[in-house]
Amino acid sequence: GQSLEQPSEVTAVEGAIVQINCTYQTSGFYGLSWYQQHDGGAPTFLSYNGLDGLEETGRFSSFLSRSDSYGYLLLQELQMKDSASYFCAVRPLWKDYKLSFGAGTTVTVRA
Amino acid sequence: IAGITQAPTSQILAAGRRMTLRCTQDMRHNAMYWYRQDLGLGLRLIHYSNTAGTTGKGEVPDGYSVSRANTDDFPLTLASAVPSQTSVYFCASSPGQGDTGELFFGEGSRLTVL
């Protein structure tokens, strides 16, 4: 099976940097994805790491290390609009390859 | 561009009643999914469909059924609702079978079973 662990809450000020860690226990997976969700609305895709290393998309970056069973989402130059929940998800080699999500991290950005 | 449309957006239902949540996509995506979201548990997969005419069970399929008669529609049915099915339900789709880890989600249907 697989289990994804992320911190439940993170608080930071505008302009700061936040790193959301995602550790996992799984027998194997294709890649690690990250999603953002505002106020219980539709989750939206942020990034995907199919290979180890860093993927950068504007102010957001995502990292994967399969050897360490670990990944993270890095939010830079935090803005108020970044206040949201962030979910990591893996696409396991079993379960017909469907995405399995972590419980989510609520990020609160303060002025 | 609508993307994924879910209906109803919110519903209060008596236990034991039958309920169908509707999901329609206009992106011609092959795969579609139903997730439920509960506080502290993230998103859990209920059922999925890789292509029209096929369906599969996810992590929490009991008490739910789906059908995929065509590419665009993927309704979720609760045959006899129970209070533990109170949740927010999200429909999603992907062009293939989620190879890039990217799903497109609807706005959700909030269901309360009393």
Side-chain angles (χ1 to χ4, degrees), chain B:
Chain B
I1 298 177
I4 291 189
T5 302
Q6 293 186 232
T9 56
S10 181
Q11 181 77 43
I12 298 174
L13 187 67
R17 299 297 296 268
R18 180 184 179 90
M19 179 71 193
T20 296
L21 304 180
R22 301 184 297 278
C23 175
T24 300
Q25 54 115 349
D26 62 2
M27 299 175 283
R28 308 301 294 174
H29 285 172
N30 286 326
M32 297 187 75
Y33 316 83
W34 275 105
Y35 285 87
R36 61 176 289 174
Q37 184 175 31
D38 304 289
L39 191 63
L41 295 177
L43 292 149
R44 292 182 292 167
L45 183 65
I46 304 170
H47 284 288
Y48 65 90
S49 169
N50 288 332
T51 188
T54 69
T55 62
K57 294 181 179 180
E59 300 171 71
V60 287
D62 294 343
Y64 305 95
S65 63
V66 292
S67 61
R68 187 88 184 275
N70 56 61
T71 297
D72 299 341
D73 301 300
F74 191 44
L76 176 73
T77 297
L78 290 67
S80 179
V82 295
S84 62
Q85 293 178 309
T86 294
S87 186
V88 181
Y89 292 86
F90 286 98
C91 180
S93 70
S94 61
Q97 295 185 26
D99 295 353
T100 63
E102 181 175 9
L103 302 185
F104 296 81
F105 283 87
E107 291 294 329
S109 295
R110 183 176 298 275
L111 183 66
T112 301
V113 182
L114 301 177

Side-chain angles (χ1 to χ4, degrees), chain A residues 31-47:
Chain A
L32 182 70
S33 302
W34 288 92
Y35 284 78
Q36 180 190 60
Q37 184 182 37
H38 282 104
D39 298 325
T44 55
F45 174 80
L46 289 177
S47 67

